[in-house]
Every structure is written in C-alpha cells, then in structure tokens.
Amino acid sequence: MIAPGKEDSVVINLDGKDVSVPSGTNLVDAAALHGKEIPHYCYHPQLSVAGNCRMCLIEMGTPMRDRGSGKAVLNDDGSPKIGWVPKPVIGCATNVSAGMHVKTESDVVKECREGIMEFLLVNHPLDCPICDQAGECRLQEFATDYGRGYSRFVERKNVKPKRTRLGPRVTLDDERCILCSRCIRFSQEVAKDDVLGFVDRGSFSTLTCFPGKELSNNYSLNTVDICPVGALTSTDFRFKMRVWFLKETRSICTESSAGSNITVSSREGQVYRITPRRNDLVNDSWMTDSGRTLFKTVKAENRLVFPSVSGSRVSLTEAMDTAFKLFKNKRVGVIGSCKSSLEELFLLSQFCKATKAKKFIRGHFGEDDGILLSADRTPNLRGALVSGFANKYPKSDLSILNMALQKGELDTLVVMGENLLDSKVDAASLSGTEVVFLGTHANETSKLASVVLPTLTAFEKSGSFINRSFYVQAFLQAIPGPAGLIPDLQILSNLISSVDPESDLSPDLKKIWIAMSRVRNSPLKGISFSDLKQGTVQIDGSKWKNMPFVEKSALHHNPMMKIK
Amino acid sequence: MRTKDFAATNKISLANEYHRYNLKSVIFMISKKIAKEKRIILKHADDPNYSNKIGCYLRKGGYKMLEKSLKLKPEEIGEEVLKSGVRGRGGAGFPAGMKWKFLDRKSGKPIYLICNADESEPGTFKDRQIIYKDPHQLIEGMMITAYAIQAKLAFIYIRAEFFEGAKILERAISEAKEKGFCGENILDSDYSCDLVIHRGAGAYICGEETGLIESLEGKRPNPRIKPPYFPAVLGLYQCPTIVNNVETLCNVRHIMKMGGDAYAKLGKPNNTGTRIWCVSGQVVKPGYYEFECGALTLGEMIYDICGGLHPGRSLQAVIPGGSSAKVLRADERFTGKMKDGTEFDWGIEDIPLDFDGPMAAGSMSGSGGIIVMDDTVDMVQAMANINAFYAHESCGQCTPCREGVLWMRKITKRICSGHAREEDADLLLSVANQIEGRTICAFGEAAAWPTQSFVSKFRDDFIAKAKHPSDEKSQLQLI
C-alpha cells in the first residue's frame, strides 16, 4: 500500500491550470476533485493500488532541479522548467507533489486510452445484450469515450469458463473478466478471506477460487459491486431486472448498529437489490451479504397487511378506537424497539408521557465480525437512548417486564414489533393483559394481541438511525407500503392525540426534529432532518460513555475512542 | 549410382569451400589484428584440468578476494565498484555501483542480496557457463557484495531448467560453508550471511527483478509497479534489496582483485570490463566469447571469431542482445552522433561490441546474446517464433502486454499458415506501438521491439506473404 501523505495541500498544474489538491492523494483522485475524470478499472480508492489495467495513463512532469546546486531550472520567461517523464505514467500510483504538471487530455494520453480500450476488448465476448452488467459497465462507458467503433481483431478469441459458481451468491464469467484483480484484493484486504486468485498466464490468465475453497464469506457480494465489468454477477439479482429501469433511493442498512449506507434499487414498488453506498466515515464502499437480503422481508408471508381486532380484520379507525379504549385510564406498559427510527422512538416517549406508561426495551445481540456486522443487531439502540425512551443499556430480554406482569402492575401493553415470548416473558404472565401490537410482521405476540396495527418496513418510510459511532443517518422511502397502511409516525401521533387532545405533535419529520432539538441538553440540538439528507452527522455521545456497549472495534469504529 | 556420386562430389565441394573459407578468415585475422579474447570471468571455463570443486578453485587463488574484502570497510568496496564503472550484465546495463548507492540504509530493515540466475533471454547462455563450470567464483563475488551492502541474507534465484546447475551450486555452497566462506562469522569475522538457492518454476518473467522478488516471496511473479516498489527501497519482503546478474556479481571479485581504477581501464570509458557474448545462429563456430568491451566489432565477431557464415550463405540480419533487442538488417547503414559527440557511419559489421555501440545503432547489447541469421531464414517465421515465445511468457498482469502480445502472436501465426493479409504489417506495428512504454515492466518493450523492428525492416517479406500465400518457405515449420 502506498503510504498516505500529510493532510496539507499542494498546488499542481492540471492541464495547464494551477489547482490545489490535498498532498498525498494520487492523480486519479486529485483530478476528480477538479472535475477531470481519469478513466480507470483496477484502481479502487479503498483497495491497494495494483496498477495493472493501464487505463489511467497520463503525462506527468516535475520541476527540474540542477543536479549540482539543487536549484530549480527556469525557462527563459522565468517559469520553472518541467522535466516530463518520457513515458506515460499511471495516475493511480502517482502521488501529487508540489509543482507537478499533469496532462490528462493530451494526444498521447488519448492514444494510450484508445490502445488500452482496444486491448481490453479483443478477447472480450462483447455480449452486452445478454450481459447483466450492461448499463453499469465500465467497459461500455469507456468504450463510448475511447473505443474504436470497429474491430481490427480478426483472430479467434480466447475461450474461458462461463457461468462458474464462485460461491453460493456469486457467479463468474471468465471471458468477460479484464483481470483487474479488484475482487482478489478485496478478498485479501477487506474480507480477510483469501480465496480468489489467477491461474494460467498471459492472455489465458483466469480468475478462480483456490482448489477446495469457495467465495462464501459474508462480504462476497461486494466483489460483484466492485467488478467493473460483467464478470462477477450476483446469482440472486442476475437476469431479474435491467439496471437502467431501477430507481435508486438512499437508505441505511437495518441489520446491525454498523449502519452501512445503502442504495435501495426498486422499480414499480418492488425492491430488486440493495447495494452499498460509499461513505468513508462508516462503511467505505462495503456491506454484508446478509444485509442485502433484508428487502425480501417486505413481501414475506407473515407480513401484516391489515389492522385487526381480536384476530378479525377491521378498518384502521376501528382498530385505533379499540386501542384507545385499552389505554384510557389504564396502567400501560410500552415495549419499544431498537429497530424503530429515532423519530418513532421520540414519539413513543411522548406517548408514554401522555399515558404515564412504563417503558421497556430489549436489545438483540450476536457475534461481532469486526467489519460491518456488529454485535448489536439493531440499527438504532443509540436512538433509543438519545430519544429518551431508554435510560439504561437494554438487556437481551424483557424479564423485568415479566416481573411487572406477574405482580399485576400492567393492564395494557403496547408492543413495537417485539416478540415477548422469546424475551423471557411467560405466556401465563400475559393472561389478563391486553396487548396492542404495532409491527410489520406477525409473530407469537401479534397472535395474542387484542389489536394489531400494521406498520411499515424501513424501505417504505423515512426516518433516521443512530449507528455505533453516534452517527445520525437518514433513510428515505424507496417504495410505497401495502395499500391502506399509514406510516408508524402517523399511527403514533394519532394515538398520542387520542390520549392527549392538546398535543401538537405532528407526524412530519421536519417538525419532529424541531421538537427533538428543543429538548433540554439534547445532543440533537442544531440539527435538522434536511442536514441528514446532506450526509452523516456525528452527535455528542459522551452522556452515554459509561454504558456497556457491546460493539467491538471494527471498520471505522473504535469503542475505546470516546465520542467527540 | 548417379545419386550417390552426386552426393559424394557435393560433400567434397562443400568441404573444400569450408576449408577455403576458414583459411580466408585466418588470413584476414592476421592481416587485420583482430583482438584476442580476454577471459576474466570464463578464465577456467574450458580448462580440462579445472573442475567446479572448491579444492580446484582454492588452488587457483579462490576466496582470497573475499578474505581481503572482509578486512576493508563495506563502503570501501562500494567505492571500488563505483570507480570500476561496471554496468549490469543482465540486460539493462545500469551501473552496479550506482544501484548499490540507492539502497535505503536508514529504514533499519534487513538488506537482502539476490543473484539473478534466471537466465532465460533467448540467445543468452553465459551465466550457465559460470554456474556449471565455476560456481565458486559466483559465490565469492556474492559474498563480497553481500558484505559490501551488509546484506542479512543472500539468495540465488536460479531458473528451473538449470536443475544440474542448482545441484552444482548447492554442493558448492555447502563446500564454501564448510570452509567458512559463507554462513556464520565468515572467515572468523563479525560478518555473517547465509546463502540460499531458490529454484524458479519455469517462467521468463521471473528474470524481471521485481517479478523475481514476488516469486521468491512465494507468489505469482507479477512484476511490481515502480514507483513505489523500487527494490533498493521496497524489495524482498518490503525490505531494501539488491538484485544483480550472475556475471555482474562475478565481476565484483575481479574488481576487488584489480582495483576499481585498473578495472575501469579495461574496455572503453562508460563500457568498462569484459563482456561475455553468446553467439548463436548460422555461424560456423557459435559459442561464448569473452572480450573487453568494444574490443571488436560485430563483423569481426561473426566473420573472424565465429568463423563466418556457412559456405554460400550471406548475412541477412543480426539480433545483437537477446531476442528482445531490435533486429539489425545486414544492409542497413547506421549514422548519428555518440554521446561524446563523435559522429559515426556504420555498416552492420562496424558496430562496436560494447554497451553503447548497439544502442547507437538503435538496438541494444542487452544480455549479450548475438543471434545471427543468414539468407535462408524466413524473417516472418523468425518473427512468429519470437512472438510465440513472448505470448507464452507474458505474466498477464497488465492489459497492453497480456492482450497485445498474444494478438501479435495470433497474427504472425496466421501469416505463417498461409492466411496473410497485406494490412497485417501495419496492424502488427500498430499493436506493438500500443504496447511499448505502457506496461508495468520492461517485458512490454521486450515483446514490442522485435515486432517493431522486424516489421519495419523486413516489411516486404510480410507483404510478400499476403501476395504469395503458398510460398514454400511457409511450409517449413509450424508455430
């Protein structure tokens, strides 16, 4: 790996114009900062530099220095004389230095790119019409810019394996592979699962798994994302949808507190795939394979699609009215969820205030993989703390609730999607207690519930989560929810106003954020929802620094480093 | 009966011709004062009484220079080598003393020395002679160098095909260790350095120094990008490393023996010392010849030293420095100015055999492999043969070389199989131009230069293939 440079900036001459760039950046990135694209295949900002595709060849020169005196050599007009490197150099492996001159648009550079483009295509099958990468293929893109338009190659193309199974989720077409080695470097450097390599040599080099191994780690689909061509494709997404039909929505992965930034690709109300979205503070360009399958729960069989009272379908108003009767002058317990958004948890806290309800919440924990699957398997545990719903670090069960129920302290429970019966709450303790269930999917608790109010998944609504490093991140609605259902925030604000008619809490995200930032000593002070849409915002989490957070150190997360 | 007679007379006439020709060349030699071989490295190579055992080497004064060197400061040896001006014998001709100066000594990391014995440039067979016939000379040269650069460990990377050579070296190293010439506390000094042999697995690219380093690390020999991976800074295991050719390392011993200044007087300025030239192809006496740099011309080498061409043949072309050097056409004129300003106007016979001569003629002395081709050679097939070699040996890491070299091979193969097109000559040139200068390592040039020179200098031969696809020469060999 090339050592990163210092943070200060230097001035380089980019195509005749002096520009300032951070020192230590390479020329591909430096040029991009000033709107010049240097085409590349093998270079990836978050992987080591291989320099093998040669697409980013550019002309480079540095100010000449006199060998004896070390003084700068000047032209007749007093400007520093530039010693141009006789051969083109690769931008990805050339770090900027003060006074460096770069040509990214010269004839030599254009000729280089055209040459490389032609070489990449001579043994390429050119099967774009049946290739799943079409539409998001770098070869297509740069062929438009630097392609010859006709072929000078009249020989036979090399034949390589097609439709190889690299692992349970990744399919490989070796004929399309341009041997950029991004997938190999990703497996070695990020996934730390070194299973890919090249066999054979020269133009017969072939990407494959090591004998007896397969690409089955939980990050394998990232190789598909970074593959610049159609060689690696997702076995799940293959042939499902042409990518240019897909609508892309910014969202956040709900799998764990890592809060990977994702893009949800949908068409006509159906999600087709989830891909990571680059965020160098959180997840770089990666996400887990397991997080990519979460959209499948949207159309799951146990999805709750209509409100019901005692198991029979009713209208939403009727269900709400029934629920209201169960709160009125009753001792209410609210079981919140770390899977709810920050805004929902805030409204839920307000609901608890209005009904003087007792608050309960549990966490969901698992193994930490040290990358992007953290031990806290909920997206918003810190949101529960920041919103004021939870005062203590949630335990992994609801045994406290069970004790309260056994003492007969509660008449009505409002459950936010959790299954009480797998949270150390006995079915017997629940007898004599009315349950109002708000959730997306049916479970044992929803079957016991008197009132079921279906809610929306994270793909069907907007909101924000607070991740393991106290980054507040917004997710936006990608698809509409099932017909007739209203957002969780609307349900909660209706419930609040039914209990407390004077409440002016609106389900509108902007207004909730105004209300949240007004709370005394709130770390959300000064932040609005539109700020979150611009990017990740880190908040002061020092208030909770003594809590026993379960996350271990991982990609962009250091539990020892105190927040702000 | 008649046929027999014919054959007999033919034989006699051939023999006469042969005799006459050799006689002519002997007379020529005397009248022209042809330089004599000056064997330093190969001094004992053809001595029937000399063996590659340590006893024999010691009797001839072996390891005396190591003993002497260990009493000097390491920098003093480096100074001598720098003064000698010795240039690398592996192909690029970079001054060895300068290379040592680039070593990063401040990093605190161990320094490694690697001997590049992966001699695989077609037409080159000099290192093989040293390894097989005088391995202790190499070991002594290496241990002096190791001491000079203060190497922690030294390696000999030997090509797979030299299995006998590897055995000879293994034995020689154990002999040297027994006598205390390498290993712990060499000759009872404070300096220790072990010597390890690593056998390649049969790839030409392992001769490229960073490819060699990758291979030695146990990986695919994909050459590294430079910057940042200059071996003198980030070499073997990311530590400062010196990679030198076998002949270069042997020279270090002789530099220590003669002194840098005296060594620098051998040959010509900037082309010091002797060079081993490997002559192959259609000459009467192919083989290895060691001369002072610039002591003779290419013509003298071919006609006088190597006994000229076979009777009745005429010279068509010469590749002066291994197959990757640009071919020189027999009837070309080479004109221009040398670096020191002297003007030259050479025929192919007049090119001086040193580093700068072939370079001035637009080619290079490379690894010293002179391939002579007479008029019976089909230049298109020779080209196809060279292309087949490079297409097989490209590591496949970077695009231009991987795709371009195989493309060139496919074209020349097609031309030779009777399917030539007139536009193929231009296409070959264009493909070669698209490779040259755009690859990670020098393999791109090594593969592009032959095509560029063959096609531009023997263009008519390529065009003729398209016009007469059934030329009988086409049937000669299958590539």
Side-chain angles (χ1 to χ4, degrees):
Chain A
M1 293 261 264
I2 293 165
K6 283 171 266 160
E7 269 303 302
D8 42 357
S9 62
V10 292
V11 174
I12 63 166
N13 185 293
L14 186 64
D15 292 319
K17 220 174 103 185
D18 282 340
V19 293
S20 170
V21 290
S23 68
T25 43
N26 62 57
L27 289 176
V28 172
D29 289 342
L33 286 175
H34 294 278
K36 302 250 179 191
E37 186 187 29
I38 297 179
H40 57 270
Y41 292 101
C42 68
Y43 170 68
H44 189 283
Q46 278 128 1
L47 297 175
S48 62
V49 174
N52 60 33
C53 76
R54 318 305 286 178
M55 192 64 185
C56 65
L57 285 169
I58 40 121
E59 286 188 273
M60 186 271 280
T62 46
M64 283 169 82
R65 292 202 172 272
D66 187 79
R67 280 217 180 142
S69 62
K71 277 184 190 161
V73 182
L74 300 179
N75 285 322
D76 294 339
D77 63 351
S79 60
K81 193 167 184 179
I82 300 303
W84 289 95
V85 179
K87 288 197 242 175
V89 301
I90 45 173
C92 65
T94 309
N95 282 3
V96 294
S97 65
M100 180 182 271
H101 276 53
V102 183
K103 287 184 196 162
T104 70
E105 289 165 345
S106 67
D107 290 343
V108 174
V109 172
K110 195 161 170 276
E111 211 179 281
C112 285
R113 290 174 186 171
E114 285 170 354
I116 301 297
M117 235 8 264
E118 179 173 36
F119 283 145
L120 285 173
L121 293 180
V122 292
N123 280 303
H124 189 82
L126 300 173
D127 56 349
C128 305
I130 56 153
C131 176
D132 225 43
Q133 189 82 0
E136 53 181 5
C137 174
R138 291 282 173 172
L139 275 179
Q140 284 185 330
E141 278 169 35
F142 298 139
T144 317
D145 297 342
Y146 304 104
R148 200 174 272 283
Y150 64 94
S151 178
R152 299 193 294 172
F153 187 80
V154 295
E155 328 302 327
R156 279 197 187 165
K157 293 194 182 222
N158 294 345
V159 176
K160 288 185 188 175
K162 309 279 284 180
R163 295 178 298 279
T164 325
R165 180 186 184 274
L166 263 196
R169 292 174 290 278
V170 181
T171 304
L172 165 68
D173 184 320
D174 265 308
E175 287 187 349
R176 294 178 189 153
C177 175
I178 58 163
L179 303 159
C180 71
S181 79
R182 274 183 176 188
C183 52
I184 298 176
R185 284 175 281 144
F186 173 82
S187 301
Q188 290 171 343
E189 294 160 19
V190 181
K192 308 267 191 287
D193 182 30
D194 193 2
V195 292
L196 296 178
F198 292 132
V199 292
D200 290 343
R201 61 193 192 193
S203 191
F204 302 105
S205 298
T206 306
L207 174 70
T208 187
C209 261
F210 296 153
K213 297 271 176 79
E214 59 171 20
L215 181 65
S216 58
N217 65 63
N218 197 22
Y219 293 86
S220 66
L221 281 169
N222 290 296
T223 60
V224 175
D225 299 331
I226 57 176
C227 180
V229 299
L232 294 172
T233 47
S234 156
T235 311
D236 177 57
F237 178 68
R238 252 162 90 81
F239 308 132
K240 294 273 164 64
M241 182 52 62
R242 278 305 195 181
V243 293
W244 52 83
F245 290 129
L246 293 173
K247 183 187 81 169
E248 300 194 331
T249 312
R250 294 155 61 100
S251 189
I252 301 295
C253 181
T254 56
E255 189 189 24
S256 77
S257 63
S260 298
N261 290 216
I262 58 172
T263 299
V264 178
S265 299
S266 60
R267 186 188 182 195
E268 296 182 353
Q270 191 182 334
V271 181
Y272 284 88
R273 69 167 177 187
I274 295 176
T275 43
R277 179 161 53 89
R278 185 176 170 186
N279 185 334
D280 292 356
L281 297 170
V282 180
N283 59 316
D284 287 347
S285 300
W286 326 123
M287 74 176 293
T288 56
D289 288 1
S290 40
R292 294 174 198 249
T293 60
L294 294 180
F295 72 87
K296 302 205 166 173
T297 59
V298 171
K299 295 254 153 100
E301 271 188 20
N302 63 340
R303 182 76 200 270
L304 295 170
V305 289
F306 53 81
S308 61
V309 172
S310 311
S312 44
R313 182 172 184 161
V314 294
S315 74
L316 196 60
T317 347
E318 200 181 331
M320 298 276 264
D321 286 346
T322 319
F324 169 63
K325 279 174 201 148
L326 297 174
F327 309 139
K328 201 178 177 188
N329 303 323
K330 295 277 170 63
R331 294 169 299 167
V332 182
V334 171
I335 295 94
S337 168
C338 301
K339 291 171 185 167
S340 300
S341 72
L342 176 62
E343 297 81 0
E344 287 158 16
L345 283 158
F346 177 74
L347 283 197
L348 198 61
S349 312
Q350 301 308 309
F351 173 75
C352 294
K353 255 187 209 165
T355 54
K356 299 192 178 63
K358 277 197 169 173
K359 293 184 277 192
F360 303 90
I361 194 159
R362 64 161 292 190
H364 295 262
F365 305 107
E367 290 285 310
D368 204 309
D369 76 349
I371 312 174
L372 284 169
L373 183 62
S374 63
D376 179 356
R377 293 294 158 78
T378 57
N380 202 24
L381 187 144
R382 282 165 182 75
L385 300 169
V386 172
S387 67
F389 186 86
N391 304 319
K392 286 185 193 150
Y393 194 76
K395 294 209 162 62
S396 61
D397 57 51
L398 291 164
S399 44
I400 303 170
L401 171 67
N402 198 38
M403 283 195 288
L405 287 169
Q406 278 166 353
K407 285 182 199 159
E409 290 172 0
L410 299 164
D411 305 319
T412 303
L413 295 182
V414 178
V415 183
M416 300 299 290
E418 298 285 5
N419 180 12
L420 305 182
L421 299 180
D422 75 357
S423 314
K424 291 196 178 165
V425 176
D426 305 328
S429 330
L430 281 170
S431 60
T433 319
E434 300 284 357
V435 174
V436 176
F437 185 85
L438 280 80
T440 52
H441 291 80
N443 59 23
E444 286 168 298
T445 309
S446 72
K447 283 170 194 152
L448 295 173
S450 318
V451 180
V452 172
L453 293 166
T455 55
L456 301 180
T457 64
F459 303 103
E460 298 155 339
K461 62 189 179 188
S462 302
S464 60
F465 294 134
I466 302 180
N467 92 334
R468 58 187 174 190
S469 310
F470 281 93
Y471 284 118
V472 194
Q473 309 189 93
F475 60 93
L476 303 176
Q477 180 185 6
I479 52 169
L485 299 193
I486 57 170
D488 313 35
L489 288 173
Q490 186 74 55
I491 298 177
L492 288 170
S493 96
N494 287 1
L495 289 179
I496 293 170
S497 48
S498 62
V499 182
D500 172 15
E502 307 210 337
S503 155
D504 58 350
L505 278 172
S506 141
D508 183 72
L509 283 167
K510 275 183 201 155
K511 291 183 180 158
I512 295 176
W513 269 86
I514 294 168
M516 285 199 295
S517 60
R518 279 200 196 130
V519 175
R520 236 204 315 161
N521 296 330
S522 168
L524 302 174
K525 195 158 274 172
I527 307 169
S528 69
F529 190 68
S530 51
D531 292 340
L532 303 184
K533 287 191 197 168
Q534 306 297 319
T536 299
V537 178
Q538 194 173 33
I539 56 163
D540 180 9
S542 53
K543 210 165 150 185
W544 298 277
K545 66 179 178 201
N546 295 324
M547 291 229 167
F549 292 116
V550 292
E551 289 93 345
K552 295 205 178 95
S553 93
L555 186 68
H556 297 302
H557 178 68
N558 179 2
M560 301 309 289
M561 193 178 66
K562 289 305 169 199
I563 312 303
K564 274 195 176 171
Chain B
M1 194 68 187
R2 268 186 79 133
T3 3
K4 213 176 182 184
D5 270 357
F6 178 74
T9 33
N10 203 22
K11 219 180 223 174
I12 293 161
S13 74
L14 261 176
N16 279 342
E17 183 104 1
Y18 202 70
H19 179 72
R20 225 181 311 148
Y21 200 83
N22 272 356
L23 206 66
K24 206 172 101 187
S25 64
V26 169
I27 295 164
F28 192 64
M29 217 170 173
I30 297 163
S31 62
K32 250 183 82 183
K33 271 200 178 174
I34 302 303
K36 271 194 177 171
E37 266 200 89
K38 183 170 179 72
R39 287 198 172 192
I40 294 179
I41 310 272
L42 296 179
K43 192 172 181 187
H44 306 295
D46 296 328
D47 183 350
N49 298 321
Y50 191 80
S51 83
N52 54 25
K53 308 256 162 48
I54 196 166
C56 188
Y57 187 65
L58 287 172
R59 275 197 296 281
K60 301 277 182 186
Y63 288 110
K64 281 274 174 334
M65 288 311 116
L66 176 61
E67 213 178 313
K68 179 183 158 192
S69 303
L70 285 171
K71 287 173 189 148
L72 300 171
K73 282 184 194 154
E75 310 85 70
E76 289 172 328
I77 302 171
E79 275 308 310
E80 289 301 313
V81 173
L82 197 62
K83 268 195 272 179
S84 77
V86 64
R87 290 169 70 170
R89 262 50 171 172
F94 192 80
M98 197 83 91
K99 199 175 199 176
W100 297 4
K101 282 224 153 180
F102 290 150
L103 262 182
D104 177 12
R105 294 173 190 279
K106 287 176 198 148
S107 66
K109 294 185 203 166
I111 293 168
Y112 295 113
L113 171 67
I114 302 172
C115 168
N116 186 345
D118 192 74
E119 179 177 58
S120 31
E121 181 71 25
T124 316
F125 39 85
K126 60 187 180 63
D127 297 343
R128 182 194 179 99
Q129 310 307 326
I130 301 167
I131 292 166
Y132 279 66
K133 295 174 177 169
D134 206 356
H136 283 287
Q137 181 183 192
L138 172 62
I139 296 172
E140 186 176 6
M142 279 192 77
M143 295 324 290
I144 297 171
T145 309
Y147 175 69
I149 64 170
Q150 288 291 298
K152 182 101 178 155
L153 189 57
F155 297 87
I156 300 176
Y157 188 100
I158 186 164
R159 74 177 298 200
E161 292 82 348
F162 289 172
F163 40 83
E164 194 59 38
K167 274 189 203 163
I168 291 168
L169 278 173
E170 286 283 7
R171 202 204 54 228
I173 290 172
S174 63
E175 284 173 345
K177 269 190 193 164
E178 241 170 60
K179 302 263 181 193
F181 296 127
C182 78
E184 292 289 310
N185 297 87
I186 298 168
L187 293 172
D188 297 324
S189 70
D190 294 338
Y191 181 65
S192 304
C193 182
D194 208 350
L195 185 51
V196 179
I197 292 191
H198 183 93
R199 288 188 57 201
Y204 171 77
I205 197 62
C206 291
E208 200 277 347
E209 62 179 357
T210 55
L212 184 152
I213 288 171
E214 285 278 302
S215 174
L216 192 51
E217 287 183 6
K219 301 184 213 150
R220 241 179 110 89
N222 286 354
R224 295 173 175 173
I225 48 173
K226 286 153 272 178
Y229 301 107
F230 294 106
V233 183
L234 296 169
L236 184 66
Y237 307 115
Q238 303 298 313
C239 297
T241 304
I242 289 293
V243 185
N244 277 145
N245 173 260
V246 172
E247 191 188 341
T248 317
L249 287 166
C250 291
N251 268 311
V252 173
R253 174 187 185 264
H254 301 289
I255 292 166
M256 292 319 290
K257 192 172 176 183
M258 303 163 74
D261 289 326
Y263 184 93
K265 287 192 183 107
L266 284 177
K268 295 197 294 192
N270 199 33
N271 294 269
T272 58
T274 63
R275 279 202 76 170
I276 305 171
W277 301 97
C278 315
V279 188
S280 60
Q282 286 105 346
V283 287
V284 174
K285 287 195 296 174
Y288 46 87
Y289 300 95
E290 187 176 352
F291 280 93
E292 277 185 59
C293 275
L296 78 174
T297 62
L298 187 56
E300 288 163 350
M301 176 63 95
I302 294 170
Y303 293 111
D304 308 324
I305 306 301
C306 299
L309 304 166
H310 293 292
R313 309 271 183 88
S314 62
L315 187 66
Q316 183 170 205
V318 178
I319 303 176
S323 68
S324 57
K326 286 189 177 178
V327 69
L328 305 171
R329 208 182 142 112
D331 52 6
E332 256 183 293
R333 288 308 290 182
F334 307 96
T335 52
K337 252 186 193 172
M338 299 296 285
K339 261 188 192 163
D340 58 8
T342 50
E343 283 188 27
F344 63 86
D345 180 10
W346 294 329
I348 193 166
E349 292 91 353
D350 309 325
I351 297 171
L353 283 181
D354 52 22
F355 287 94
D356 295 340
M359 188 80 89
S363 186
M364 63 172 181
S365 64
S367 52
I370 300 172
I371 303 170
V372 182
M373 289 176 275
D374 68 19
D375 55 345
T376 62
V377 174
D378 179 338
M379 293 310 278
V380 181
Q381 288 203 347
M383 172 79 276
N385 197 7
I386 292 175
N387 277 350
F389 173 79
Y390 286 108
H392 184 251
E393 295 300 341
S394 166
C395 80
Q397 186 186 196
C398 66
T399 311
C401 171
R402 178 182 71 230
E403 302 297 342
V405 179
L406 183 68
W407 188 2
M408 295 197 302
R409 186 200 112 131
K410 283 177 177 173
I411 296 170
T412 42
K413 189 180 176 180
R414 175 167 54 73
I415 293 176
C416 290
S417 62
H419 300 280
R421 307 175 305 163
E422 280 195 35
E423 60 260 48
D424 284 335
D426 288 334
L427 180 58
L428 272 171
L429 257 185
S430 163
V431 173
N433 291 343
Q434 282 182 191
I435 301 171
E436 188 198 7
R438 298 171 191 183
T439 51
I440 290 177
C441 73
F443 188 103
E445 280 80 21
W449 286 341
T451 301
Q452 288 173 336
S453 56
F454 270 78
V455 176
S456 50
K457 292 183 184 180
F458 296 93
R459 199 185 163 80
D460 295 345
D461 295 24
F462 284 81
I463 304 281
K465 289 275 180 194
K467 287 185 176 152
H468 315 287
S470 56
D471 187 347
E472 56 189 63
K473 274 186 184 173
S474 303
Q475 313 302 323
L476 282 176
Q477 61 185 126
L478 280 173
I479 291 139

